[in-house]
Amino acid sequence: MRYELRCRECHKSWGNVPKSICEDCFSPLEVFYDYDSIRPDVTRDKIASGPPNIWRYSALLPLPENFEPTLPVGFTPFIKASGLARNIGTKNLYIKNDAVCLPTLSFKDRVVAVALANARGFGFDTVSCSSTGNLANATAAQAARNGFKCWIFIPADLEQAKIIGTQVFGAKLVRISGSYDQVNRLCSQIADEHNWGFVNVNLRPYYAEGSKTVGYEIAEQLGWRLPDNVVCPMAGGSLIVKIKKAFNELIQLGLVEPKPVKFFGAQATGCSPISTAVKLGNADIEPQKPSTIARSLAIGNPADGHYAIQTITQSGGWSEDVSDPEIVKSIQLLAETEGIFTETAGGVTLGCARKLYKSDRILPNETTVLCITGNGLKTTDVLTGEYETEEPIAPKLAEFEKYLGQTLDVQEPVVA
Ligand SMILES: *Cc1c(COP(=O)(O)O)cnc(C)c1O
Ligand SMILES: [Zn+2]
């Protein structure tokens, strides 16, 4: 077998089944690979000759035999952010831009693609998830594309764009009056009663592997090199752990030179169980009650909190958190310097990165990658009130010249 589920702690094998928790010790299950059998299939040339999407890394993903991809997901732009770097007084700054990941404009398209490949393999006809918004969009869209029935569970107070952006695909959307953590607990109970594929419950070990593709792409797009630092937003804490796993695999397979990479986690202060634990030197999180505009990151009891803390501290990295006003300011800064409109989670990443530069935890000569994971068009409500809607002027040149005269003296950039 090329891969199978094993317990992260007691290492018992469970084969390939829709299951996320070890029945012996109640620890999470993870996909383990036989790298010796994979090695011949993964060379830089073979990957480069693959399709321009995550399926170029299929040999490194848990995909059932005879799986045929139905959507080009991922391989998002990777850019040198010189304008942003100048603004914050640094250099060697890069952005991994999953604000434009297809099909639904967040990195969650990657995890859902791998989860649904396995949902099909396990014979489910209905897929489901608990979501803070982006996972709902990605699951609903890809369920439609692949002919699954789809049930989505969300906390009632999500952004309108994420609600409509789920319903439009014909998914059944169930709003729960409660926090994400309560929605997630409910989904675990439903998964015991109904034979559905919950992408982030019983399919979670497979789902989580999809996040590795962010790491593979960063390395390949840097010219098969690893960066010095990665700054990554954290909700459940899975993405940051899986980028690290991806880098380790590339080293183990001889695709990149071994090199220490520091991992920096980013959270909103209003929901910061992981960054709080890192700052206090704790190995485990204390659950929090979220209160932040960064709804996509508002998980008070993150499933992979323990492993995210471990990834960060063992790498010599750090974790920061930023206030809601700083999130908004960072959304504007990224837009004005790089032309990238990110959602609140991206504001969290950039806001934390600015703090990390200011405190010299990240240095200017180091190669640093910011993971921008979602699109600003889904969270425009947080910018309401930031910009004036002025009275319209008549369609006459003289009117415009008058307007221009009045405007020129008072114009200033929003982000100084
Ligand atoms: C879900 C999400 C994250 C965090 O992912 P985890 O793997 O749960 O830590 C980051 N950014 C966005 C936009 C998300 O939707
Ligand atoms: Zn176990």
Side-chain angles (χ1 to χ4, degrees):
M1 209 176 324
R2 201 167 55 83
Y3 63 86
E4 65 172 6
L5 297 185
R6 286 190 204 156
C7 175
R8 285 183 88 131
E9 299 302 331
C10 77
H11 295 113
K12 176 167 176 167
S13 307
W14 292 93
N16 282 303
V17 286
K19 182 196 285 290
S20 64
I21 303 286
C22 174
E23 283 169 21
D24 286 5
C25 76
F26 305 107
S27 300
L29 303 184
E30 195 188 353
V31 179
F32 279 70
Y33 298 83
D34 174 6
Y35 291 111
D36 289 335
S37 79
I38 290 172
R39 195 167 282 116
D41 294 329
V42 285
T43 63
R44 290 180 184 179
D45 285 346
K46 278 190 182 161
I47 290 170
S49 66
N53 52 56
I54 60 168
W55 307 118
R56 70 208 273 111
Y57 310 109
S58 287
L60 294 162
L61 295 172
L63 301 172
E65 295 222 354
N66 306 323
F67 167 69
E68 291 287 344
T70 57
L71 274 174
V73 175
F75 218 71
T76 54
F78 182 78
I79 61 160
K80 184 152 195 189
S82 306
L84 175 61
R86 215 172 304 121
N87 182 286
I88 58 186
T90 188
K91 48 190 184 158
N92 298 321
L93 184 58
Y94 293 82
I95 289 172
K96 180 60 176 159
N97 185 9
D98 269 16
V100 291
C101 194
L102 291 179
T104 65
L105 307 181
S106 87
F107 97 94
K108 292 295 200 308
D109 288 319
R110 301 169 181 276
V111 288
V112 169
V114 177
L116 294 204
N118 285 281
R120 180 65 80 217
F122 292 134
F124 291 114
D125 66 0
T126 302
V127 292
S128 185
C129 68
S130 56
S131 173
T132 57
N134 286 314
L135 186 60
N137 298 167
T139 303
Q142 296 188 43
R145 171 71 175 166
N146 292 291
F148 289 103
K149 285 177 270 185
C150 184
W151 285 74
I152 304 286
F153 298 83
I154 57 165
D157 66 349
L158 282 196
E159 298 92 340
Q160 192 61 21
K162 288 179 178 165
I163 291 175
I164 297 289
T166 300
Q167 291 171 319
V168 72
F169 300 112
K172 181 72 188 152
L173 184 77
V174 186
R175 291 168 72 225
I176 308 291
S177 52
S179 68
Y180 171 81
D181 298 285
Q182 291 171 306
V183 176
N184 192 246
R185 206 167 311 125
L186 173 65
C187 283
S188 299
Q189 293 165 345
I190 298 171
D192 288 338
E193 298 297 322
H194 297 266
N195 191 33
W196 294 355
F198 278 83
V199 303
N200 57 342
V201 182
N202 50 1
L203 298 171
R204 188 173 178 88
Y206 300 99
Y207 147 105
E209 291 293 288
S211 288
K212 292 192 306 182
T213 59
V214 176
Y216 300 144
E217 291 176 20
I218 289 171
E220 185 177 354
Q221 289 170 314
L222 265 175
W224 293 110
R225 281 187 306 129
L226 299 183
D228 295 304
N229 308 305
V230 173
V231 186
C232 182
M234 303 183 295
S238 175
L239 175 61
I240 194 167
V241 172
K242 293 296 178 172
I243 295 175
K244 161 113 184 158
K245 182 175 182 182
F247 289 174
N248 286 347
E249 288 177 335
L250 294 180
I251 292 170
Q252 192 170 348
L253 292 163
L255 292 169
V256 297
E257 288 296 315
K259 164 175 176 182
V261 179
K262 288 185 185 171
F263 286 85
F264 294 89
Q267 295 207 291
T269 305
C271 182
S272 50
I274 303 175
S275 76
T276 301
V278 168
K279 287 176 176 176
L280 293 174
N282 294 340
D284 283 293
I285 61 111
E286 285 285 348
Q288 292 184 0
K289 197 162 179 289
S291 171
T292 170
I293 58 170
R295 299 233 173 81
S296 57
L297 304 181
I299 298 184
N301 190 8
D304 290 297
H306 171 75
Y307 298 104
I309 294 165
Q310 209 172 57
T311 295
I312 293 164
T313 52
Q314 287 180 355
S315 77
W318 190 245
S319 189
E320 265 303 346
D321 50 80
V322 281
S323 69
D324 286 356
E326 285 172 278
I327 294 170
V328 171
K329 231 182 150 201
S330 294
I331 290 173
Q332 294 169 315
L333 175 61
L334 185 63
E336 290 181 15
T337 55
E338 296 298 338
I340 292 172
F341 187 14
T342 184
E343 69 149 80
T344 44
V348 168
T349 302
L350 177 53
C352 289
R354 290 205 283 167
K355 279 192 169 177
L356 292 161
Y357 276 112
K358 221 170 256 166
S359 58
D360 291 333
R361 289 194 184 266
I362 297 181
L363 300 173
N365 59 340
E366 297 168 344
T367 299
T368 300
V369 177
L370 307 186
C371 296
I372 299 301
T373 47
N375 192 292
L377 291 173
K378 295 191 193 186
T379 62
T380 51
D381 43 343
V382 302
L383 297 174
T384 310
E386 288 293 312
Y387 303 100
E388 264 178 79
T389 306
E390 297 176 347
E391 285 306 309
I393 62 169
K396 295 203 173 90
L397 181 60
E399 282 289 312
F400 174 68
E401 296 297 345
K402 195 172 111 198
Y403 174 86
L404 187 62
Q406 289 164 355
T407 312
L408 276 181
D409 328 318
V410 291
Q411 217 173 30
E412 54 181 288
V414 179
V415 180

